[in-house]
Amino acid sequence: MTAFDDWRARSPFYDETHEALAQSVRRFVAREIAPHIDQWEAEGELPRDLHKKAAEAGILGLRYPEEYGGHSEGFDNFHGLVLTEELAAVGAGGLSASLMTHGIGLPPVLALGSDELKQRVAPPVLAGDKIIALGITEAGGGSDVANLKTTAVKDGGDYVVNGGKMFITSGMRADWLTCAVRTGGPGAAGISLLLIDMDSPGVERTRLDKMGWRCSDTAAIHFGDVRVPAENLIGPENGGFIGIMRNFNSERLGMAMGCCGYARVAMAEAAEWAQNRETFGKPLVGHQSIRIKLADMERQIEATQAWVDLAAWQVKTGCARPADFAMLKVQATRMLEAVAREAAQVLGGASYITGSKVERIYREVRVNAIGGGSEEIMLDLAGRQLFGGR
């Protein structure tokens, strides 16, 4: 057992099944991902066959219904947290964002879609044959979901979609897009979800370059009179907003766990450097100031992990409240920022050279603080839910 997973052995929420999963995913990461991650970062996307390999390893289908090719029997949401951390071991956030993009694109289909739609979409996604992404954010607004502008107008047996989406993870490679569109009047009550075939005439995609998450392809998408069959409507017309909202708690919990994982990677690299690097005649860790930095990193990670585990337990037992997930996401992203900064200070100039995990993690701090709801939006959401106000 390593320092990376020692914390699980001291937690009441994890048992031998969680450890067995961790070891299985760790072997997959070491074999199929770690040797290639730098190349994929340079290329700006993951190979499609990685999805197939991850499916065969049981990673894509973890905690999804057996009837669609998933693996749900005997797995709880803590197994999902274990998977998130093990994928973080390579220190590249784009890996999880892109490989597990079905984690935000598929749940609305399974929760609200027709039986025919679920049977058509879920099995090939969980088998790694198809990639599904989520299209919510637009160029004119991100967190203000209720005011999205992309329209879908009913025309015979189709919806005709016009508009665009921005910053869409896996947008260049996606076969399907679970897309939020306006089918009714203003506000949340006029929003629907449509499954859009990304090979449809009128769909245009533009690759976006980024500061971090570089192995995750990100796209701006334009829809010009794109015809979508009415049977691709996910849930009732003008009832899509609830499908969007129900995604957010799990997304924020997953992001918070990811922050803990990346923070542990940064701390581990900093600790190894401090133990091997000598200054003024002794290892860096021999200096009190460096030991204080490392201990403070551990303090912040442990405190955040405890909240993540509590939130996961609350989900499992049905006593969760949305405000907690909003605040937890802020806690986790601020913790990651602090740990990544201090890890970079320990590594010194080495943290500024491409090749260290700390360098990559530090670049990816901002996407965690913005994606899934910015810090300001999260704290305002929590404040309104807890203390009232518009």
Side-chain angles (χ1 to χ4, degrees):
M1 183 170 292
T2 69
F4 190 68
D5 56 8
D6 175 67
W7 65 272
R8 283 198 299 268
R10 295 178 285 107
S11 170
F13 298 110
Y14 301 86
D15 59 29
E16 64 276 4
T17 67
H18 299 95
E19 188 58 34
L21 175 66
Q23 296 301 327
S24 176
V25 177
R26 192 170 302 176
R27 290 191 293 270
F28 178 83
V29 170
R31 182 180 69 250
E32 301 291 350
I33 295 173
H36 312 293
I37 191 65
D38 290 335
Q39 176 187 344
W40 297 339
E41 282 277 298
E43 293 173 349
E45 66 179 36
L46 301 178
R48 289 186 69 99
D49 68 355
L50 182 64
H51 291 259
K52 190 69 176 177
K53 292 176 180 177
E56 292 169 352
I59 290 174
L60 295 193
L62 186 69
R63 302 190 64 240
Y64 284 91
E66 309 276 350
E67 62 186 297
Y68 304 121
H71 316 284
S72 55
E73 187 67 32
F75 294 104
D76 61 16
N77 52 348
F78 289 96
H79 289 95
L81 298 185
V82 168
L83 173 60
T84 296
E85 180 171 56
E86 292 301 327
L87 291 177
V90 293
L95 170 69
S96 290
S98 195
L99 181 61
M100 307 302 288
T101 190
H102 68 294
I104 55 176
L106 188 57
V109 175
L110 293 179
L112 302 173
S114 66
D115 289 341
E116 184 277 329
L117 192 63
K118 287 186 278 192
Q119 290 289 350
R120 172 157 48 101
V121 173
V125 167
L126 297 179
D129 295 323
K130 296 284 188 178
I131 296 173
I132 189 170
L134 181 68
I136 305 294
T137 301
E138 298 184 351
S143 297
D144 190 8
V145 176
N147 287 317
L148 61 85
K149 307 298 184 186
T150 299
T151 60
V153 178
K154 196 73 177 292
D155 181 31
D158 296 334
Y159 286 94
V160 180
V161 180
N162 284 281
K165 298 295 174 179
M166 182 61 73
F167 312 133
I168 304 305
T169 300
S170 295
M172 294 302 297
R173 297 179 307 137
D175 300 292
W176 289 310
L177 186 71
T178 299
C179 188
V181 295
R182 185 161 301 285
T183 49
I191 294 174
S192 298
L193 288 173
L194 282 178
L195 184 78
I196 299 179
D197 185 333
M198 294 297 282
D199 288 329
S200 300
V203 176
E204 297 179 4
R205 320 186 212 194
T206 302
R207 184 181 297 274
L208 302 175
D209 197 12
K210 309 182 298 297
M211 177 168 61
W213 280 13
R214 298 192 67 85
C215 67
S216 172
D217 63 289
T218 304
I221 301 173
H222 176 73
F223 305 110
D225 291 331
V226 177
R227 301 192 75 88
V228 180
E231 55 265 29
N232 281 22
L233 181 68
I234 303 170
E237 188 175 276
N238 298 327
F241 192 73
I242 186 64
I244 298 170
M245 293 298 105
R246 67 186 298 157
N247 245 17
F248 281 148
N249 284 351
S250 60
E251 182 182 5
R252 290 163 187 162
L253 178 60
M255 291 186 74
M257 184 66 211
C259 287
C260 290
Y262 297 117
R264 283 194 185 88
V265 172
M267 183 182 68
E269 191 169 65
E272 182 180 10
W273 181 267
Q275 290 159 356
N276 295 314
R277 174 80 163 176
E278 288 195 4
T279 60
F280 303 103
K282 58 183 176 181
L284 268 180
V285 76
H287 298 279
Q288 184 184 45
S289 61
I290 300 300
R291 294 195 300 273
I292 289 173
K293 285 183 183 296
L294 293 170
D296 201 42
M297 291 182 215
E298 175 73 2
R299 172 188 65 82
Q300 295 184 67
I301 296 170
E302 289 286 340
T304 305
Q305 184 67 59
W307 196 356
V308 168
D309 287 345
L310 176 61
W313 176 84
Q314 289 169 338
V315 170
K316 187 176 180 179
T317 56
C319 60
R321 60 179 184 177
D324 290 331
F325 296 92
M327 293 185 294
L328 173 59
K329 181 180 177 295
V330 176
Q331 165 68 22
T333 55
R334 288 185 177 176
M335 175 277 293
L336 177 60
E337 184 165 18
V339 170
R341 180 194 185 280
E342 292 299 85
Q345 287 298 107
V346 172
L347 266 70
S351 73
Y352 204 67
I353 304 301
T354 300
S356 76
K357 293 178 182 177
V358 167
E359 180 270 338
R360 190 155 57 206
I361 290 169
Y362 201 8
R363 280 191 286 109
E364 295 181 348
V365 164
R366 289 266 59 81
V367 69
N368 287 283
I370 295 169
S374 69
E375 291 181 351
E376 295 79 8
I377 293 291
M378 292 296 90
L379 291 176
D380 181 53
L381 171 65
R384 283 185 283 115
Q385 290 181 346
L386 296 176
F387 309 111
R390 286 186 58 207

